């Protein structure tokens, strides 16, 4: 397989995937809605690598080499050279569908197309790809360079060869793989999102304030972040998108979104990326908002 990896979607996840893949010696093509957005993401990766150099985690030469392997691109044509195309765009099926259909023309004969979807069924999305046998879920966790897990999710039509090659790729990034069947939310988000949603119900019912809900889970469960801080970190819009996929696909009322989550998303309070969610990030450190 060609070692060039193309990544579509240069947000939090796509940038983290690009950094990780390039740090493991592979060439990366990074695309978003425009060259400008991809270039801004490239600058963001430069900054993230700079922080690691500053902390003495990596050498300057390695940071430069990693950055040099990531090429921002403005159209999909160069992706015909990629052995693997990873879609890491917004968690909306229509957006992903349009990407798969557009990039389908570029997919090399033996290349694999993967989606970093957090919850949308792989079997269904495989229909938007030129070859469902070479389509698979490849779910990274945020922050990608740090988190040790990748979920690999074959759809109904995914060939065993595709699963094997994708698993080998994930392991080549130094990650551990969990193989999940194509069920809503896969393994981790199926467990995580109801917990985050429930924490927001707890907040909405004034059982405890933001600080104490998070403190409870940090100290009582040994989680590195409480569920509300984690929701801000993931993005409240993404949390709502995932819980809605669980709710709509299972039609099980236990996945109904907390009204406060819906309100926050409607207000544009999406968490860290907008400077405000359950916490205010305007001064750098998270400050609880209520
Ligand atoms: N690149 C490389 N390294 C990074 C990094 C990045 N972008 N961001 C952080 N790090 C490294 C730091 O260098 C540091 O390394 P060190 O321990 O060797 O010094 C380490 O990560 C910890 O970073 P910080 O000291 O800055 O901060 P914290 O100790 O507070 O840890 C955290 C931050 C790793 C984010 C930790 O709070 C954590 O693990 N939180 C939970 C994250 C989580 O649950 N993620 C999953 C979300 S769900 C998901 O992604 C699925 C999706 O579908 C919704």
């Amino acid at each position: 397989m060609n070692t060039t990896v193309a990544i579509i979607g240069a947000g939090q996840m796509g940038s983290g995937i690009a950094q990780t893949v390039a740090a493991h010696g592979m060439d990366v093509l990074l695309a978003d809605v425009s060259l400008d957005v991809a270039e801004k993401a490239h600058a963001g990766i430069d900054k993230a690598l700079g922080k690691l150099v500053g902390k003495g985690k990596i050498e300057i030469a390695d940071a430069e080499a990693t950055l040099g392997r990531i090429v921002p691109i403005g159209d999909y044509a160069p992706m015909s050279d990629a052995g693997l195309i990873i879609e890491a765009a917004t968690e909306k099926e229509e957006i992903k569908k349009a990407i798969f259909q557009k990039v389908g023309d570029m997919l090399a004969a033996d290349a694999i197309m993967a989606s970093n979807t957090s919850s949308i069924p792989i079997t269904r999305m495989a229909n938007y790809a030129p070859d469902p046998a070479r389509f698979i879920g490849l779910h990274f966790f945020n922050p990608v360079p740090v988190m040790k897990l990748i979920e690999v999710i074959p759809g109904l039509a995914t060939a065993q060869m595709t699963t094997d090659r994708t698993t080998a790729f994930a392991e080549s990034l130094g990650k551990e793989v969990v193989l999940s069947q194509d069920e809503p939310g896969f393994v981790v988000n199926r467990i995580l999102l109801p917990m985050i949603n429930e924490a927001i119900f707890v907040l909405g019912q004034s059982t405890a304030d933001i600080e104490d809900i998070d403190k409870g889970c940090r100290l009582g469960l040994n989680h590195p972040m409480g569920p509300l801080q984690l929701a801000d970190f993931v993005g409240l819009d993404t949390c709502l998108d995932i819980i809605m996929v669980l709710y709509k696909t299972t039609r099980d009322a236990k996945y109904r979104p907390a009204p406060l989550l819906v309100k926050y998303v409607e207000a544009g309070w999406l968490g860290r990326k907008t400077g405000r969610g359950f916490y205010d990030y305007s001064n750098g450190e998270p400050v609880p908002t209520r």
Side-chain angles (χ1 to χ4, degrees):
M1 179 160 79
N2 190 320
T3 54
T4 297
V5 176
I7 298 165
I8 304 171
Q12 192 167 246
M13 295 305 284
S15 293
I17 297 168
Q19 180 184 324
T20 305
V21 172
H24 286 80
M26 286 167 260
D27 292 325
V28 173
L29 298 167
L30 183 60
D32 204 294
V33 290
S34 68
L35 180 58
D36 189 45
V37 175
E39 280 173 344
K40 284 200 176 104
H42 192 254
I45 296 167
D46 188 12
K47 213 168 147 192
L49 290 167
K51 275 192 197 159
L52 293 178
V53 172
K55 283 184 177 178
K57 305 266 174 215
I58 57 172
E59 300 293 329
I60 288 190
D62 291 335
E64 283 173 358
T66 296
L67 195 68
R69 282 192 281 271
I70 304 172
V71 177
I73 55 172
D75 72 85
Y76 293 173
M79 293 191 188
S80 56
D81 285 339
L84 173 65
I85 298 179
I86 304 173
E87 170 278 318
T90 310
E91 194 64 2
K92 294 267 188 280
E93 191 164 339
E94 282 312 302
I95 294 177
K96 292 181 188 290
K97 179 179 177 181
I99 289 172
F100 296 134
Q101 289 175 339
K102 194 171 158 202
V103 79
D105 296 340
M106 316 300 161
L107 191 72
D110 65 342
I112 291 172
M113 195 183 268
S115 174
N116 178 52
T117 180
S118 323
S119 56
I120 302 173
I122 301 303
T123 300
R124 191 163 75 217
M125 288 201 295
N127 288 315
Y128 313 139
D131 181 4
R134 286 185 285 130
F135 187 87
I136 195 159
L138 184 63
H139 184 216
F140 291 81
F141 291 80
N142 187 21
V144 178
V146 178
M147 303 302 281
K148 293 270 172 266
L149 181 69
I150 296 181
E151 286 178 316
V152 170
I153 311 107
L156 209 56
T158 306
Q160 186 60 44
M161 169 81 91
T162 303
T163 305
D164 293 346
R165 280 166 59 190
T166 306
T167 301
F169 165 75
E171 288 172 348
S172 77
L173 302 178
K175 308 288 189 192
E176 297 275 341
V177 169
V178 162
L179 187 70
S180 170
Q181 294 307 309
D182 184 25
E183 295 293 335
F186 316 133
V187 174
V188 176
N189 279 343
R190 166 83 178 274
I191 298 167
L192 173 66
L193 265 297
M195 184 191 76
I196 287 178
N197 197 42
E198 203 59 30
I200 303 171
F201 271 115
V202 170
L203 179 67
Q205 288 163 357
S206 304
T207 309
D209 63 16
I210 291 171
E211 226 167 350
D212 276 357
I213 292 168
D214 278 350
K215 187 174 166 185
C217 292
R218 277 199 321 274
L219 303 185
L221 301 173
N222 241 358
H223 290 186
M225 283 176 168
L228 300 174
Q229 196 184 353
L230 183 55
D232 276 2
F233 184 66
V234 168
L236 301 190
D237 50 344
T238 304
C239 290
L240 182 58
D241 287 340
I242 299 171
I243 202 80
M244 283 308 292
V245 168
L246 289 172
Y247 187 39
K248 282 184 185 159
T249 49
T250 64
R251 296 173 199 211
D252 189 330
K254 75 178 173 183
Y255 298 119
R256 75 212 178 286
L260 199 58
L261 173 61
V262 177
K263 268 196 187 163
Y264 270 52
V265 172
E266 284 173 352
W269 296 347
L270 306 183
R272 278 219 328 205
K273 62 185 164 190
T274 59
R276 184 190 170 138
F278 294 109
Y279 293 82
D280 184 336
Y281 299 87
S282 45
N283 291 324
E285 285 305 301
V287 177
T289 53
R290 48 189 266 166

